[in-house]
Amino acid sequence: MGNIKIHIPPFKTQGIKSKLVPLIKENVRIDNSTLWIEPFMGSGVVGLNVAPRKAVFADLNPHIICFYNRLKSRELNSCMVAEYLHEQGALLAERGGEHYYHVRDKFNTEHDPLDFLFLNRSCFNGMIRFNRHNEFNVPYGHKPRRFAKAYITKIVNQVRHFEKMLESNDWIFLCQSFEKTIAMADENSFVYCDPPYIGRHVDYYDNWDESREIALLKCLSKSGVRYMLSTWDFNRYRNNPYIDLIWGACNKITQEHFYFVGAKETNRNMIMEALLTNYSTREEANDIASEHTAYGQMSLVFD
Ligand SMILES: C[S@@+](CC[C@H](N)C(=O)[O-])C[C@H]1O[C@@H](n2cnc3c(N)ncnc32)[C@H](O)[C@@H]1O
């Protein structure tokens, strides 16, 4: 049994695709000259692991984009993250929720990306949610000792890995909607899209409905580039109707994913994740199917 190492970025997001990374990597079509375009960056875990030489990462959420831009310009670095988390972690241990809400109020007026990282790692369930006034409104996760030494080291190493990738590659980060990002594609680009799942999220930066999904298809078709789209195929209650309605011309690869709602083992839910592509993966389909089974026997190691 082998291991597949997955690099985890410093931010957690809903719908993070860490477990799908091996299947995505196996099926994207890029080489050293490809411009990787990721219009729905979220945490950035996919691009971080695909590790393209040239990339455009974008998202409507300005705070993750700001964090990575500051890392790129070196206004921010892993040592500053370590120092900040030690300081704020000690205050959280001492004052608990009072300190969490103090940082949340401060972040909602000053928008310091370090405060965003602190909130993301100490809020309830690592959620990212903003109200319509653009205010981060996730409650406290009730773990005053959240920033133990080992946990800080883990986050700092995640930041350090991102720093290394920024040094050796040509990556840019933009806060903009997907239409503008996809319009940047040329014939040597590959677009990986992971839009919000319709009806799944309620968040100011993360609104999605059928008209958005159709607009996305139109943008991708107009660009004429190779693309891959992440979506869901079915769960135990229903099928995703948009796969046939909107993405019927695409090829589909699937992988089961289990997630928990709350802590109880009985609340384990299955969703069949789907990768849709506008290029054929059929020739490789048999290999992929067997590798796919093999993934089930491999352990994914998250750093
Ligand atoms: C499912 S998440 C992406 C998760 C990411 N692939 C990961 O593994 O962490 C969808 C992202 O799309 C962003 N988003 C929502 N609407 C958008 C839009 N119109 N244009 C660009 N980004 C958008 C959200 O802010 C969110 O970060």
Side-chain angles (χ1 to χ4, degrees):
M1 190 171 89
N3 286 337
I4 301 177
K5 184 165 175 145
I6 315 282
H7 296 286
I8 299 295
F11 289 98
K12 289 182 160 194
T13 60
Q14 295 92 303
I16 189 166
K17 291 295 180 295
S18 324
K19 292 191 175 152
L20 277 178
V21 158
L23 192 66
I24 294 172
K25 276 178 77 172
E26 203 63 47
N27 287 286
V28 294
R29 296 284 173 270
I30 66 165
D31 60 31
N32 272 348
S33 64
T34 310
L35 174 64
W36 172 265
I37 298 197
E38 200 171 333
F40 305 90
M41 178 191 187
S43 68
V45 73
V46 176
L48 183 66
N49 285 280
V50 169
R53 299 277 306 131
K54 291 188 292 173
V56 175
F57 292 100
D59 201 287
L60 266 192
N61 181 329
H63 305 294
I64 296 182
I65 298 294
C66 174
F67 185 94
Y68 289 138
N69 268 328
R70 295 229 182 141
L71 215 54
K72 189 178 164 180
S73 67
R74 299 188 183 171
E75 277 170 88
L76 201 62
N77 60 45
S78 44
C79 296
M80 289 158 79
V81 170
E83 197 180 320
Y84 169 89
L85 289 181
H86 278 294
E87 221 174 79
Q88 297 301 316
L91 290 170
L92 187 74
E94 194 184 311
R95 299 177 195 161
E98 185 196 330
H99 188 63
Y100 174 85
Y101 289 107
H102 163 76
V103 176
R104 198 176 80 170
D105 288 346
K106 182 169 159 283
F107 169 73
N108 281 331
T109 48
E110 296 171 7
H111 303 133
D112 184 331
L114 282 174
D115 289 339
F116 187 56
L117 180 66
F118 171 91
L119 293 171
N120 179 244
R121 304 305 290 243
S122 58
C123 70
F124 178 73
N125 264 355
M127 286 172 71
I128 293 187
R129 194 182 63 202
F130 290 83
N131 65 21
R132 64 199 167 88
H133 303 294
N134 295 6
E135 290 163 343
F136 184 79
N137 65 358
V138 183
Y140 176 44
H142 290 282
K143 289 185 182 155
R145 309 220 164 265
R146 183 61 164 156
F147 295 100
K149 222 172 167 187
Y151 194 60
I152 295 181
T153 304
K154 187 169 159 181
I155 300 172
V156 170
N157 285 340
Q158 291 165 347
V159 175
R160 208 161 269 157
H161 182 71
F162 220 105
E163 279 175 330
K164 266 201 241 152
M165 297 304 283
L166 290 174
E167 275 162 26
S168 47
N169 297 298
D170 182 7
W171 291 1
I172 62 168
F173 303 91
L174 300 168
C175 179
Q176 61 188 23
S177 191
F178 67 86
E179 294 90 339
K180 277 191 171 175
T181 313
I182 294 172
M184 295 169 78
D186 60 23
E187 69 281 1
N188 201 15
S189 302
F190 183 94
V191 180
Y192 168 70
C193 286
D194 184 16
Y197 292 175
I198 296 176
R200 288 281 294 279
H201 304 304
V202 195
D203 170 46
Y204 183 76
Y205 297 117
D206 211 6
N207 244 325
W208 201 255
D209 61 17
E210 192 177 307
S211 68
R212 302 271 69 207
E213 191 104 347
I214 293 170
L216 176 60
L217 171 70
K218 283 190 181 156
C219 274
L220 288 168
S221 307
K222 191 173 156 208
S223 75
V225 287
R226 279 187 166 187
Y227 66 82
M228 175 186 280
L229 176 104
S230 279
T231 186
W232 62 285
D233 194 14
F234 61 87
N235 60 24
R236 67 194 230 229
Y237 306 109
R238 60 195 187 102
N239 292 333
N240 177 356
Y242 299 104
I243 292 195
D244 287 339
L245 277 175
I246 297 178
W247 305 102
C250 286
N251 299 292
K252 182 173 83 178
I253 309 160
T254 56
Q255 180 176 302
E256 264 183 350
H257 175 61
F258 289 92
Y259 64 98
F260 293 90
V261 179
K264 284 194 196 150
E265 181 67 24
T266 45
N267 291 340
R268 188 170 180 256
N269 289 328
M270 189 281 280
I271 189 163
M272 188 63 83
E273 300 280 356
L275 299 179
L276 307 178
T277 60
N278 68 337
Y279 52 91
S280 176
T281 51
R282 192 139 12 129
E283 263 117 64
E284 296 102 325
N286 290 335
D287 295 344
I288 289 161
S290 51
E291 275 165 24
H292 188 161
T293 318
Y295 286 141
Q297 294 153 11
M298 291 202 166
S299 334
L300 302 186
V301 180
F302 303 101
D303 72 357

